[in-house]
Amino acid sequence: MTAQEAYDYLDPKAWAQTSAIEKLALIEEVQKNLSQYAEDLGIADAKMKNDYIGTEIYTKGFGIAGTAGPIAGMLMGSHHLYEKLVNGEMLQPVSTKKLDGGITAIQTWPVFPKDKMLAGKQKGYLHVKGEPTQINPLEKPAGVIAISGAGNYSSSVEMVKALFYENKAVIHKPHQNNVETDHIWAKIFQPLIDRKALVFIEPEEARAMTSLDGLHAIYFTGSTGVAHAIQNNAKAPVVAECGGNNPLLVIPGIRPWTEKEIKHQALQVVSVGKMNGGAVCGRVQTIITSKNWPQREQFLDAVRKAIKDDTYAVGTYYPGVEDTKKAFLENQPTAEVLKVENGKYPTTDFVFIPNVKEDDFAVTNEAFCQIISELPLDTENNADDYLTKATTFCNKKLLGSLGLMILVDNDTMKANEERVHQAINELNYGGIAVNTIPPNVFMSAYLTWGGCNETTEDFVSGVGNFGNAHQYENVVKSVLIDDFNSQGMLMTNKKMMEHLFTNSAYFAIDNSWGHFAKMVGQMVVDNFKKKDF
């Protein structure tokens, strides 16, 4: 089917007029289909990545988590939204708070009982400019949104958001990496195809799709260069989520971190740095320390150890990133090439670059592979001076505005809470994660993901966002705050992670108590497992 034929097939007016109860029933059909085909998605995703690398390193469980998991979360968020809409209601926030600059912080996560059980101390906020306004999706006008899917993950969350948050019919075109999984997605979303609300086309129709007349918008996930090329060819507004050089701010503590805390935080940063071979939007690329933090070298050594010895090997598969790695190695003399699992698998070497300077290549370029650098700022050993200088550096020198991570121990947070929140408000990033990883912002149906305060003419990380289940307008950024000692997805045991990847995805699909018990029970058992690589 050509792009034009796809556009002509859709009936956006009928979709926009479909009632809340009908859409709720369709969501449930798709959720059932997702449960049926999740394993097929995982197998196809793993095969694609292993074929690029030339060895069997990616697993079915990882594939299920990366494909079914994000979509499942968005479908469940849509389910909760439409349950409310059936009763003439909207999702309500947990709390609201006025901030400086005409911004309101709105807590939207967690809301529902099982979410609260999983979240622990984690809380999610939308920062909204002006008076907070929610718009009922059923009142949004009919139209068609064309979506150009990402290449790193076959999980088009923007497709779900366009359908159920924006009330629009959708044309979906996959990246060439994800043709096989896209065919499976078509089976899963068949109920919406039958309603002429959704249609899938092949990658070859990319240019024709973006130049269609009559589109409401084009949603794009990918590189900045391609986004600008689409924008130049398009006849509709482009909403883009691109990349960037995502920082980690390590706030100097009012007390020393324990050895256990340092190891845990190093594992958290390295695990997301290895995830998907480093091809993860929002994962940490540049660690920003204070030059005068007494534990700086101890933390850097823990990062090295986490890379080499404490987390298992993951292959870098994304096309073109070997040239990226070469460029970083040529331009950064302090780069260290670290062998993982003694280099037994291809493309698993990790590049660690300590002590980079503020105008270095590593600051102004994105890696999108297994590269992490560290930049020590000349600051006093306290939260206030560090945050002042780190905020200025990130906002003015570091590439992009997509995701940012902050590590701050609980004692330091308590003593400097107002100052930390001031920095969160001032930092020009679309997704800010405190004591957790920025990709968790992307995974939430109740938050947004994208660049921050960038312009259509000159963006790096993108413009606009794909919406949120609470339907708030004028969102500037999303913020996720967790406890310093919260547990993350630490890649310290292969079998444990395979269980967690699989069980968490199936729980996300239907939120049943059975899946919840299986996931939590297996986590308890797996916590006793030792290194298996």
Side-chain angles (χ1 to χ4, degrees), residues 283-460:
R283 66 103 189 174
V284 169
Q285 182 178 318
T286 302
I287 301 171
I288 300 175
T289 59
S290 169
K291 183 178 180 180
N292 296 304
W293 182 38
Q295 294 184 292
R296 173 178 168 248
E297 290 297 339
Q298 185 183 357
F299 181 70
L300 298 185
D301 285 342
V303 170
R304 290 185 182 93
K305 188 173 185 300
I307 293 169
K308 291 192 302 180
D309 303 322
D310 297 338
T311 56
Y312 56 83
V314 181
T316 294
Y317 72 91
Y318 203 78
V321 293
E322 286 305 315
D323 291 336
T324 302
K325 183 183 290 186
K326 182 180 178 182
F328 273 78
L329 290 173
E330 289 175 347
N331 285 280
Q332 296 296 157
T334 63
E336 305 169 10
V337 180
L338 305 179
K339 297 287 183 181
V340 185
E341 293 191 53
N342 297 314
K344 65 188 288 188
Y345 298 108
T347 76
T348 60
D349 289 354
F350 201 110
V351 177
F352 181 54
I353 315 173
N355 202 32
V356 303
K357 304 298 187 293
E358 291 190 29
D359 297 310
D360 275 2
F361 180 90
V363 170
T364 56
N365 287 272
E366 180 184 13
F368 211 57
C369 59
Q370 296 186 79
I371 295 175
I372 289 179
S373 59
E374 180 263 348
L375 186 148
L377 290 176
D378 190 5
T379 79
E380 295 176 20
N381 186 41
N382 63 62
D384 182 42
D385 190 54
Y386 171 81
L387 285 172
T388 298
K389 292 173 180 175
T391 298
T392 299
F393 169 76
C394 290
N395 286 349
K396 293 188 175 181
K397 289 195 172 184
L398 203 60
L399 179 74
S401 66
L402 185 60
L404 177 143
M405 181 177 178
I406 295 173
L407 287 180
V408 53
D409 67 77
N410 293 337
D411 296 324
T412 303
M413 181 66 171
K414 185 176 181 180
N416 297 273
E417 189 165 4
E418 185 176 338
R419 182 65 186 87
V420 173
H421 282 285
Q422 176 191 338
I424 290 171
N425 199 21
E426 292 172 350
L427 283 159
N428 195 39
Y429 286 83
I432 297 177
V434 180
N435 294 329
T436 185
I437 57 174
N440 285 339
V441 177
F442 160 80
M443 294 285 286
S444 175
Y446 310 98
L447 302 175
T448 58
W449 186 244
C452 183
N453 292 323
E454 297 199 42
T455 65
T456 303
E457 295 75 23
D458 188 29
F459 64 81
V460 173

Side-chain angles (χ1 to χ4, degrees), residues 7 19 36 40 57 72 78 85 110 166 171-172 175 231 238 249 288 308 329 360 363 365 384 397 421 461 464 520:
Y7 181 86
S19 68
Q36 179 183 349
D40 292 348
I57 193 168
S78 301
L85 291 173
E166 297 304 319
I171 302 172
H172 186 269
H175 186 279
Q231 188 179 55
V238 176
L249 307 190
I288 300 175
K308 291 192 302 180
L329 290 173
D360 275 2
V363 170
N365 287 272
D384 182 42
K397 289 195 172 184
H421 282 285
S461 296
V520 174

Side-chain angles (χ1 to χ4, degrees), residues 220-241:
F220 171 78
T221 301
S223 71
T224 306
V226 175
H228 282 292
I230 290 174
Q231 188 179 55
N232 293 336
N233 181 56
K235 296 179 181 178
V238 176
V239 179
E241 184 270 288

Side-chain angles (χ1 to χ4, degrees), residues 247-267:
L248 162 63
L249 307 190
V250 183
I251 299 179
I254 61 173
R255 63 162 177 84
W257 291 3
T258 67
E259 186 175 334
K260 181 179 179 181
E261 288 170 338
I262 286 178
K263 179 180 179 180
H264 174 77
Q265 299 303 344
L267 284 171

Side-chain angles (χ1 to χ4, degrees), residues 104-119:
T104 301
I106 304 170
Q107 186 185 339
T108 59
W109 164 264
V111 175
F112 300 96
K114 290 175 186 173
D115 291 339
K116 290 178 181 179
M117 293 175 68
L118 285 179

